[in-house]
């Protein structure tokens, strides 16, 4: 399938990197593609960023049949722009679609469309250390009628947002409240899909935690409230007595791409590591025994973020990062690969300036530019970003 390109005739200046924050500014163009049961996926196009003009009867607004992804494009020192593990993100996007009863799409074409969009808005990829262009693909139901059932029409949309450095605040140790009342996802539920409902389910607990001065919550399993699952928008890792431990993928947590990357590096570096269920009591005990060496979260937003405190039933477990921490080692390795200062031996990095651009078909008509929007969001916190 070709992607029709309609350029914005009012391109806006890209934002000054020092004040980017997260998800507050959006680049000039967006990608759209429609699905109908008669035509399948069709009419792939890159057009000026603008309103989707939804009707109030749009199914997504009522029943939440929607999915999304989140990945980043990085500017290298030589000016080129690269994506990190886009195929893994595209495949997860397809798995989310399947879970939400949406029609599947070709991950290969999806990656091409991401590359084409980033290429068109490449001037929006910031170059200051730690900055990147965040891609936010979504699929929503596009039927305008009421009734709980899978839609017959869908809209795929991708927007991109230049995002700031996590060096300033994101890498500072976070305070996490262990949530023992609310739960995020249960076995057989939606937990492993990247769908709006999971984030809606997290809001109340996260707000309560914030009021108490915490950055985010650590979810426990929905059945026994004992087993550790994941942090708000990150997978969680512990180093206990020299062993790297993370909860297994059991359907209730997201199969994080950064989590996979950490596990792969741990394997190659010969670091003892386990994917196994672990209880919050085990962590409290390890802390009392002095064997809880590290706690960190992994996610696209801040890569690897240290946890400075876990608060469980009013007991504060504090973790102080030491010189030579595993967290720092993972962080440096992954950041090095993303920005091209370390070799990529895994094929994780993909350039945007490649044959994907063959899919573009430029239209002669200029699109209407969309007014600049300044963000009103809260300052960027690594743990807030899905
Ligand atoms: N868990 C949840 C719930 C998330 O939203 C995210 C962010 N996508 C992650 C984990 C980390 O996933 P990734 O490493 O793919 O960004």
């Amino acid at each position: 399938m070709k992607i029709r390109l309609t350029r914005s005739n009012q391109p806006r200046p890209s934002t000054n990197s020092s004040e980017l924050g997260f998800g507050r500014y959006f680049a000039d163009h967006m990608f759209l593609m429609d699905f109908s049961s008669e035509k399948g996926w069709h009419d792939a196009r890159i057009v000026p960023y603008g309103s989707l003009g939804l009707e109030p009867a749009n199914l997504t607004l009522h029943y939440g049949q929607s999915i999304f992804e989140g990945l980043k494009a990085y500017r290298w020192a030589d000016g080129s722009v690269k994506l990190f593990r886009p195929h893994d993100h595209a495949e997860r996007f397809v798995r989310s679609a399947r879970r939400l009863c949406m029609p599947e799409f070709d991950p290969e074409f999806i990656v091409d469309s991401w590359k084409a969009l980033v290429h068109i808005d490449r001037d929006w990829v910031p170059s200051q250390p730690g900055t990147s262009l965040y891609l936010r693909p979504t699929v929503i139901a596009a039927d305008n009628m009421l009734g709980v059932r899978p839609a017959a029409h869908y809209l795929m949309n991708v927007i991109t947002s230049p995002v700031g450095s996590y060096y300033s605040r994101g890498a500072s140790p976070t305070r996490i409240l262990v949530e023992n009342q609310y739960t995020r996802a249960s076995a057989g539920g939606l937990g492993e899909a990247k769908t709006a409902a999971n984030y809606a389910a997290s809001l109340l607990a996260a707000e309560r935690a914030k009021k108490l001065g915490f950055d985010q919550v650590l979810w426990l399993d929905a059945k026994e409230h004992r087993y550790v699952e994941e942090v708000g928008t990150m997978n969680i890792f512990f180093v206990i007595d020299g062993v790297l431990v993370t909860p297994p993928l059991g359907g209730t947590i997201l199969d994080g791409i950064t989590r996979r990357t950490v596990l792969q590096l741990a394997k190659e570096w010969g670091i003892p590591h386990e994917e196994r269920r672990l209880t919050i009591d085990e962590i409290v005990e390890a802390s009392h025994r002095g064997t809880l060496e590290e706690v960190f979260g992994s996610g696209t937003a801040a890569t690897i973020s240290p946890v400075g405190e876990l608060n469980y039933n009013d007991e504060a477990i504090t973790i102080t990062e030491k010189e030579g921490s595993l967290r720092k080692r993972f962080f440096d390795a992954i950041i090095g690969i993303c920005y091209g200062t370390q070799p990529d031996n895994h094929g994780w990095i993909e350039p945007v300036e490649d044959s994907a651009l063959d899919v573009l078909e430029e239209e002669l008509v200029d699109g209407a530019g969309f007014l600049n929007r300044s963000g009103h969001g809260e300052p960027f916190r690594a743990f807030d970003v899905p």
Side-chain angles (χ1 to χ4, degrees):
M1 195 186 336
K2 286 277 184 193
I3 301 174
R4 209 159 33 84
L5 168 64
T6 309
R7 281 189 193 271
S8 165
N9 59 7
Q10 297 168 15
R12 291 161 284 139
S14 47
T15 323
N16 179 344
S17 305
S18 64
E19 46 187 60
L20 287 175
F22 192 95
R24 299 161 66 194
Y25 303 98
F26 301 100
D28 289 328
H29 297 90
M30 64 182 179
F31 172 85
L32 294 173
M33 180 163 71
D34 299 310
F35 177 91
S36 67
S37 20
E38 309 81 50
K39 289 191 183 169
W41 285 107
H42 64 280
D43 200 10
R45 56 208 187 271
I46 290 174
V47 296
Y49 180 99
S51 163
L52 298 179
L54 294 185
E55 287 192 23
N58 173 277
L59 267 190
T60 313
L61 300 177
H62 304 270
Y63 313 113
Q65 196 191 5
S66 70
I67 58 167
F68 67 99
E69 261 306 319
L71 69 157
K72 283 177 169 176
Y74 300 88
R75 186 171 301 279
W76 283 18
D78 64 3
S80 64
V81 177
K82 315 285 198 241
L83 295 174
F84 183 68
R85 306 192 72 166
H87 279 86
D88 296 277
H89 283 279
E91 278 154 25
R92 187 171 69 188
F93 203 27
V94 173
R95 291 198 300 278
S96 295
R98 231 174 257 150
R99 181 64 182 84
L100 271 288
C101 277
M102 290 177 167
E104 290 195 20
F105 33 82
D106 174 15
E108 219 38 71
F109 177 74
I110 295 305
V111 172
D112 282 353
S113 68
W114 293 347
K115 288 178 179 174
L117 180 64
V118 172
H119 182 72
I120 296 303
D121 277 333
R122 59 192 172 282
D123 291 348
W124 281 85
V125 186
S127 54
Q128 246 119 315
T131 61
S132 55
L133 187 74
Y134 185 78
L135 282 76
R136 169 48 61 86
T138 55
V139 180
I140 59 168
D143 287 9
N144 296 314
M145 60 200 304
L146 302 182
V148 180
R149 64 180 164 275
H153 300 85
Y154 294 87
L155 176 67
M156 184 181 288
N157 169 238
V158 189
I159 53 174
T160 67
S161 170
V163 299
S165 165
Y166 37 71
Y167 290 123
S168 50
R169 301 187 54 185
S172 60
T174 39
R175 295 183 67 214
I176 307 261
L177 181 66
V178 180
E179 177 57 59
N180 55 11
Q181 181 190 351
Y182 297 112
T183 54
R184 174 186 178 274
S186 56
L190 292 172
E192 69 184 342
K194 213 156 164 57
T195 183
N198 288 326
Y199 299 85
S202 75
L203 293 177
L204 190 55
E207 279 306 288
R208 191 176 62 171
K210 276 177 196 161
K211 280 202 188 101
L212 295 169
F214 297 95
D215 297 304
Q216 258 295 350
V217 300
L218 173 65
W219 298 108
L220 300 178
D221 75 284
K223 193 168 171 209
E224 297 182 55
H225 290 229
R226 291 174 60 213
Y227 294 97
V228 171
E229 300 250 293
E230 63 185 330
V231 181
T233 54
M234 287 194 161
N235 294 110
I236 187 94
F237 285 86
F238 302 88
V239 181
I240 304 173
D241 220 358
V243 181
L244 179 70
V245 187
T246 195
L249 303 174
T252 55
I253 67 172
L254 194 77
D255 179 358
I257 309 302
T258 323
R259 175 186 180 278
R260 279 194 206 178
T261 306
V262 168
L263 289 171
Q264 177 68 28
L265 293 175
K267 195 164 133 198
E268 289 166 19
W269 295 346
I271 291 164
H273 60 282
E274 295 171 353
E275 285 179 74
R276 65 166 172 85
R277 298 188 88 192
L278 77 171
T279 63
I280 186 68
D281 292 331
E282 177 183 344
I283 290 156
V284 174
E285 278 166 31
S287 161
H288 292 169
R289 277 203 316 272
T291 54
L292 182 64
E293 291 153 18
E294 294 185 43
V295 182
F296 56 83
S298 72
T300 295
T303 321
I304 310 289
S305 214
V307 174
E309 178 187 330
L310 282 175
N311 190 294
Y312 180 53
N313 287 340
D314 293 328
E315 182 184 351
I317 301 165
T318 51
I319 309 106
T320 312
E321 185 167 303
K322 305 207 176 52
E323 277 292 303
S325 69
L326 264 184
R327 181 205 74 84
K328 183 76 170 42
R329 207 175 151 197
F330 286 122
F331 179 87
D332 289 344
I334 297 172
I335 286 300
I337 295 169
C338 289
Y339 288 97
T341 55
Q342 289 200 24
D344 165 30
N345 304 320
H346 304 86
W348 287 336
I349 290 295
E350 294 192 31
V352 300
E353 303 91 352
D354 65 10
S355 58
L357 305 179
D358 294 347
V359 295
L360 281 177
E361 211 167 55
E362 191 137 5
E363 274 203 332
L364 293 173
V365 216
D366 270 357
F370 200 69
L371 284 184
N372 200 353
R373 50 191 57 218
S374 61
H376 301 289
E378 290 292 306
F380 168 50
R381 288 297 294 157
F383 275 61
D384 287 343
V385 182

